[in-house]
Amino acid sequence: MSILRLFLLCATVIAAAVMELIDTSIVNVALSHMSGNLGATLADTSWVITSYAIANIIIIPITSFLAARLGRRRYFIGSIILFTIASALCGTATNIWTLVAFRFVQGLGGGALLSTSQTVVFEAFPPEKRGVASALFGIGVFTGPTIGPTLGGYILDVTSWHWIFLVNVPIGIIVTIAAFLLVPEPAATTRANLRMDWLGLLLLVVGVGALQIVLERGQEEDWFETPYITQLSVAAVVGLTAFIWWELTTKHPIVDLRVLKSRTLAVAALLTFVTGMGLFTSVYLTPVFAQRLLHFPVLDTGLLLLPGAVLAIFCLMLTARALQKGVPIPVVIALGFVLFFAFSWRMAELNGTAGKDDFYFPLILRGAGLALLTVPLTALAVSGLALKDIAQGAALNNMMRQLGGSFGIAIVNTYLATRFAEHRHALVTHLSAADLPVSERLASGTQLVVARLGQPILEAQQRAYQLLDLTVNQQAGIQSYNDAFLLVGLFFLAAMPLLLLVLRRGPSSGPVKVSLSDH
């Protein structure tokens, strides 16, 4: 394959993956705009995110099977077309539930793009150059969710929320044409020998779908105080348990879980789960923290993540080069985990006076840390697999990243609510009108209201108490977000001992050969 054709092929499939990943986070900054425009509650509008995530989680682990059954090239191009059409329908939706339905279809099309793109990129490079392939694909994996809020903020600043979806249409058309011309079909195919595992698919849809709804909606619905959350939790446990048992015992599984017998893949999947937590929770927490508590404009909030994302692209290439020169994968992963913890620690120290400049260095640490994790974890996941199992291993690893994000956001939302109540209680118990600083603040607040609004003294005093309450809530909110950032960082520290499992096997197995040329 010529250098030009290789470049165009990689650009095409990575663009498809980036397009899908951007849509996992681009909608986050537009929920309130959609809510007002479509006349829906914010709780109903959040299903726009939930439906996409459910479809993604369902389709990602079965992409290997569907690609083999339908033909990888045909499945890949068909998925881009489905994603593009669904994007157009989302952008022209006139009510919330139509939009939610089209987002689910968009998620079905988009979920196939991630793992299929990764497989195409890996197969396009010879074994000794797959570090470069990991880095190129890592650019898409990392930058997609990161630039989503930036792009969404810019689109909302210059036009309406509809273009968050419509912007995919011209890109999708170009990528479809390029994929038709460039993406090859693997020489060997086993389509004729594959049977559809309908029971496995049903159990996957029930188990993963129920789990995703519980994770996305649990905090808003007060978890197990709501009957349908309890019922879906039971369905998730039963469905996933039955799914795992069936896929390990049936002769023709839709998801070949047997590839997890590879220790390197199993460890990489767990570490990727934690990395997904960090990737998606940081993209979730940072804009909300800056926008709601520090009152940054939407566009400025989105731009906060940009410097770290740009630096991460260079770090990805440097990481690939370091691995090719023999730097051990566990060492690089450990450094990435430490840098992400440093980001969490710095974010946990921000207060109400923080400006944009206070965010840049922590977010650069975040970008560098996640960049150091993306390439080696991708390489580690498939390093112990046979060539025929790479697609399935990549799909499972990508699913773990998405699940990590869902679990992470559910955990931090619950943690935020709990810590906010605790911090507010602690602050309020130390406030008394008899205290001189409190009485002075109330007096100055009363005078300010009288001077600016001309209200009677009693109403002005009530306003002063409301202003004090808003200050308490803001401070409690900042402290709870500080705690949430630190919690995510502690997950990274806790996961680091898993790296010991890939340093060596048991005495009879010999050392694990983890290198970019193994796969």
Side-chain angles (χ1 to χ4, degrees):
M1 184 183 297
S2 68
I3 297 295
L4 177 60
R5 186 177 180 85
L6 177 62
F7 172 79
L8 292 174
L9 173 63
C10 291
T12 298
V13 297
I14 291 172
V18 170
M19 185 170 61
E20 192 276 331
L21 285 166
I22 284 176
D23 271 63
T24 62
S25 62
I26 193 173
V27 177
N28 294 4
V29 297
L31 288 182
S32 58
H33 294 76
M34 293 178 186
S35 176
N37 185 259
L38 297 174
T41 65
L42 197 57
D44 286 344
T45 309
S46 65
W47 278 98
V48 174
I49 297 175
T50 304
S51 61
Y52 187 84
I54 291 171
N56 256 210
I57 293 295
I58 289 172
I59 206 71
I60 286 175
I62 64 175
T63 52
S64 175
F65 175 87
L66 293 176
R69 176 74 181 254
L70 303 174
R72 189 179 67 192
R73 181 173 181 272
R74 184 186 306 169
Y75 179 53
F76 183 66
I77 294 172
S79 296
I80 300 172
I81 294 171
L82 181 62
F83 181 88
T84 305
I85 292 173
S87 296
L89 294 173
C90 287
T92 55
T94 55
N95 69 75
I96 186 60
W97 297 115
T98 301
L99 176 57
V100 169
F102 290 146
R103 273 285 279 179
F104 183 83
V105 177
Q106 188 192 36
L108 291 177
L113 302 180
L114 193 60
S115 298
T116 311
S117 296
Q118 183 176 4
T119 305
V120 171
V121 170
F122 266 65
E123 290 184 2
F125 283 81
E128 67 274 8
K129 294 292 185 182
R130 284 180 181 154
V132 177
S134 296
L136 290 173
F137 185 75
I139 291 172
V141 168
F142 177 79
T143 58
T146 300
I147 67 174
T150 304
L151 182 59
Y154 176 76
I155 290 173
L156 290 174
D157 200 51
V158 299
T159 183
S160 69
W161 64 265
H162 303 81
W163 281 96
I164 282 177
F165 303 109
L166 294 176
V167 72
N168 290 326
V169 176
I171 299 172
I173 292 172
I174 294 171
V175 171
T176 300
I177 295 171
F180 182 80
L181 296 173
L182 296 168
V183 174
E185 184 69 69
T189 179
T190 55
R191 273 180 285 173
N193 298 324
L194 293 177
R195 299 177 185 175
M196 188 62 187
D197 177 17
W198 291 108
L199 179 58
L201 179 62
L202 175 63
L203 293 173
L204 177 67
V205 170
V206 171
V208 172
L211 175 63
Q212 192 67 30
I213 293 174
V214 169
L215 293 174
E216 295 275 348
R217 309 292 299 173
Q219 174 58 34
E220 292 184 15
E221 300 289 354
D222 201 21
W223 293 107
F224 301 115
E225 297 299 320
T226 305
Y228 90 86
I229 293 294
T230 303
Q231 293 161 6
L232 286 175
S233 298
V234 173
V237 172
V238 173
L240 289 175
T241 302
F243 170 75
I244 293 171
W245 173 80
W246 176 255
E247 295 303 288
L248 290 175
T249 56
T250 188
K251 184 178 290 188
H252 302 286
I254 195 169
V255 180
D256 188 5
L257 297 179
R258 298 179 185 91
V259 297
L260 288 171
K261 67 183 180 182
S262 165
R263 181 180 296 188
T264 52
L265 174 59
V267 172
L270 291 174
L271 295 175
T272 299
F273 180 87
V274 176
T275 302
M277 289 181 63
L279 174 62
F280 287 99
T281 56
S282 57
V283 170
Y284 170 76
L285 288 172
T286 302
V288 175
F289 179 48
Q291 221 172 318
R292 293 186 184 177
L293 295 174
L294 303 181
H295 309 297
F296 287 13
V298 174
L299 183 57
D300 288 352
T301 301
L303 291 173
L304 288 176
L305 295 162
L306 198 56
V310 172
L311 175 68
I313 293 174
F314 292 101
C315 289
L316 284 163
M317 300 306 295
L318 290 174
T319 302
R321 189 165 183 81
L323 293 177
Q324 283 187 318
K325 288 186 174 295
V327 178
I329 283 182
V331 172
V332 179
I333 294 174
L335 180 58
F337 271 57
V338 169
L339 285 177
F340 191 90
F341 176 77
F343 151 76
S344 300
W345 183 274
R346 290 296 297 267
M347 293 297 288
E349 294 180 331
L350 296 180
N351 55 41
T353 64
K356 289 185 291 184
D357 293 344
D358 297 302
F359 281 82
Y360 289 134
F361 180 65
L363 289 170
I364 285 173
L365 291 175
R366 168 194 177 273
L370 290 175
L372 290 175
L373 294 172
T374 302
V375 176
L377 282 177
T378 301
L380 183 66
V382 299
S383 64
L385 300 178
L387 188 61
K388 65 181 180 63
D389 294 327
I390 285 180
Q392 183 64 78
L396 287 172
N397 199 50
N398 288 325
M399 183 190 74
M400 292 299 288
R401 184 186 298 107
Q402 302 298 106
L403 274 179
S406 297
F407 270 92
I409 290 174
I411 289 169
V412 297
N413 273 333
T414 303
Y415 191 66
L416 282 171
T418 303
R419 295 300 291 164
F420 176 82
E422 292 174 356
H423 285 305
R424 177 177 165 77
H425 177 74
L427 291 170
V428 169
T429 54
H430 288 86
L431 291 178
S432 170
D435 292 338
L436 182 60
V438 176
S439 61
E440 288 179 347
R441 188 179 184 92
L442 289 172
S444 63
T446 301
Q447 292 172 4
L448 181 65
V449 173
V450 170
R452 291 193 175 181
L453 302 179
Q455 291 184 335
I457 190 68
L458 288 178
E459 293 183 13
Q461 287 177 341
Q462 291 178 346
R463 284 292 187 96
Y465 274 103
Q466 291 172 355
L467 290 173
L468 180 61
D469 186 60
L470 287 174
T471 302
V472 169
N473 286 341
Q474 182 189 32
Q475 188 58 41
I478 290 172
Q479 291 177 351
S480 63
Y481 273 83
N482 292 156
D483 293 343
F485 278 113
L486 189 57
L487 176 68
V488 176
L490 291 174
F491 275 113
F492 273 65
L493 285 186
M496 287 181 67
L498 289 172
L499 291 170
L500 298 174
L501 297 176
V502 294
L503 292 179
R504 63 179 60 191
R505 293 189 190 272
S508 61
S509 303
V512 175
K513 296 180 180 179
V514 182
S515 70
L516 292 172
S517 61
D518 287 340
H519 51 276

